[in-house]
Structures are given as C-alpha cells and as structure tokens.
Amino acid sequence: MLETKTLVKICGITSERQALQIAQLGVDAIGIISVEESPRFVSNKKKKKIFKTLESLYPNIERVSVVKNCPVDSIIKNFLDKPTETIIQLHGDEDIKYCQKIKEKIPNIKLWKAFRIKNKKDLEGIKPYENFVDAILLDSWNRDTYGGSGKKIKSSYLQNLHFSKPWWLAGGISIEWLDEISRDIRPNGLDISSSIEISPGIKDIESTKKLLQQIMKN
C-alpha cells in the first residue's frame, strides 16, 4: 500500500468533451500532445480551447502540454505569454542545457522531463537533470514512437528508485499491474494513455473510471 495518494495524469486527450468527462473523475493532470507526428496530436488552437475550459471549470487540475525536440527558442516564444498550460512536458531527447534555459526564461510554468527506459543503465543519466526540472517521467523505450505505445518498462528496473523530484511512471499502466506498482515500485504518479483507449486519442471513459477506482484502492 502506498503511504500517500498516487497522482494520476490522463494523457493524449483530443476533445473538450472527453477532457471534461475525465476531469469529473477526479484526476490530477490532463495532458495534450503537441507533437505533429503523433496520432493523438492536437492543434495549438484546439489545445488552448480545451485548456481554457479546464482552467475555468477545474482550475486545480494540472494542464500538461507534451512536446518533443522543439527548438528551445520556439518553446520560450510559445509559452512566455499567459500560457493556458501549467506544465510543459519534454518527451524527446532534450539535454540539460535545454531544460535549464526553459526554467530560466519561463519560471512561472513547471517543467517535466520524460526519459525512455530501454535498460537499467538508462536510469543512470537522469540524476543530473533533477536541478532543472520539477518532475521526472519514466516511459518505455520503443523504436517506432516516443510515447503512447502501451509497452511497460521492466519492473526490475524500477524498484528502489530514489529521485529528489517527484517521478511519474508511464507505459502500459493497467489494472493488472497496479498491485505490483503500489507494492514494489511506488511512483509519485501514474501517466496513463493508450491502455484506456478505444482508438488513439479516444478514451474509454468506463475503463478510465475503473482504473482510477482501483488506483484509489491501492
């Protein structure tokens, strides 16, 4: 059993209707993908509309914009003036200098950095980032995609992890895996996307509800 509440982010939302349905379930964060090659991509205009609605009706839910390998100056330009999101999630190969520059230029928005874990050695390069991000997200490595593959990281890689910042687990989060996650892995948060989908970007609300209920039990 986890001693503290496990935070939950539902990612890959593509419609305002589903964003509100999921917000009603009591999640802690909602993510929208701003990566054009993703099947869950949402345009900047549509993303702002969804996030503004969430900000108005559910101001306590974190609004996460997921980006990948964007020019750092473009990120700063797009997020400097009254952003509709509360968090930028870097889901590419961004280095420490990249993270440091964003934190310096946009101090009013939180920064998460995702790392794709192929083997245990991949975890060794994360520590130096801790001073320049607000949270760490561990996702599974996949040759074809940077996220949303539904593949799990090997559980043996994830035991006894300690970071100075909160860390989130992504990749294939399912009801069947929850007992082991709460008992042996114990992340601060769970980032859920493809395991609750009917098709890319379309969530099964009933499955989402059941998964959230099980997380709360654990």
Side-chain angles (χ1 to χ4, degrees):
M1 296 287 287
L2 291 175
E3 295 175 3
T4 57
K5 176 181 181 286
T6 305
L7 302 175
V8 177
K9 168 177 167 251
I10 303 297
C11 200
I13 298 299
T14 56
S15 74
E16 184 176 319
R17 178 174 173 269
Q18 287 218 319
L20 292 174
Q21 287 176 316
I22 287 167
Q24 289 171 1
L25 298 177
V27 300
D28 302 282
I30 286 177
I32 291 180
I33 309 296
S34 297
V35 180
E36 289 190 14
E37 64 263 32
S38 170
R40 301 170 184 85
F41 170 71
V42 171
S43 69
N44 195 48
K45 182 179 179 181
K46 187 176 180 181
K47 177 188 72 174
K48 286 185 175 181
K49 186 175 185 296
I50 294 171
F51 277 165
K52 282 181 178 178
T53 299
L54 286 174
E55 183 179 16
S56 174
L57 298 176
Y58 297 93
N60 294 326
I61 294 178
E62 299 280 14
R63 304 178 299 279
V64 186
S65 188
V66 180
V67 299
K68 175 177 79 77
N69 297 337
C70 292
V72 67
D73 291 335
S74 173
I75 292 288
I76 292 167
K77 179 181 177 182
N78 289 335
F79 292 95
L80 195 57
D81 295 326
K82 296 182 179 178
T84 54
E85 41 275 285
T86 58
I87 294 168
I88 300 171
Q89 179 180 315
L90 304 176
H91 215 94
D93 308 303
E94 301 86 2
D95 61 17
I96 292 174
K97 287 184 178 179
Y98 186 109
C99 297
Q100 185 177 10
K101 188 169 183 180
I102 289 178
K103 288 301 292 180
E104 288 174 354
K105 298 292 186 180
I106 322 175
N108 62 320
I109 193 165
K110 284 174 273 191
L111 185 65
W112 292 6
K113 177 71 182 86
F115 298 87
R116 298 191 301 151
I117 307 303
K118 186 176 184 180
N119 52 56
K120 197 161 187 177
K121 191 174 181 180
D122 289 337
L123 294 164
E124 296 173 6
I126 296 175
K127 282 283 182 184
Y129 281 81
E130 290 179 324
N131 291 332
F132 307 106
V133 299
D134 298 287
I136 290 158
L137 189 145
L138 304 183
D139 200 355
S140 57
W141 185 91
N142 184 278
R143 184 188 304 276
D144 302 317
T145 178
Y146 274 67
S149 68
K151 293 189 176 183
K152 295 163 51 177
I153 306 171
K154 283 189 179 180
S155 298
S156 59
Y157 300 164
L158 299 170
Q159 295 179 14
N160 302 313
L161 288 182
H162 300 285
F163 298 107
S164 64
K165 297 295 173 67
W167 76 275
W168 293 65
L169 177 62
I173 307 295
S174 64
I175 287 179
E176 293 75 22
W177 197 20
L178 287 181
D179 284 345
E180 184 184 3
I181 290 172
S182 65
R183 183 183 65 245
D184 300 329
I185 300 172
R186 302 167 66 86
N188 300 103
L190 299 174
D191 189 347
I192 302 163
S193 181
S194 60
S195 65
I196 52 167
E197 286 185 332
I198 299 167
S199 60
I202 308 301
K203 310 304 182 189
D204 183 321
I205 300 302
E206 195 57 36
S207 294
T208 305
K209 185 176 181 180
K210 288 178 181 177
L211 186 59
L212 288 170
Q213 288 172 341
Q214 190 62 39
I215 291 168
M216 291 174 187
K217 287 180 183 178
N218 284 9

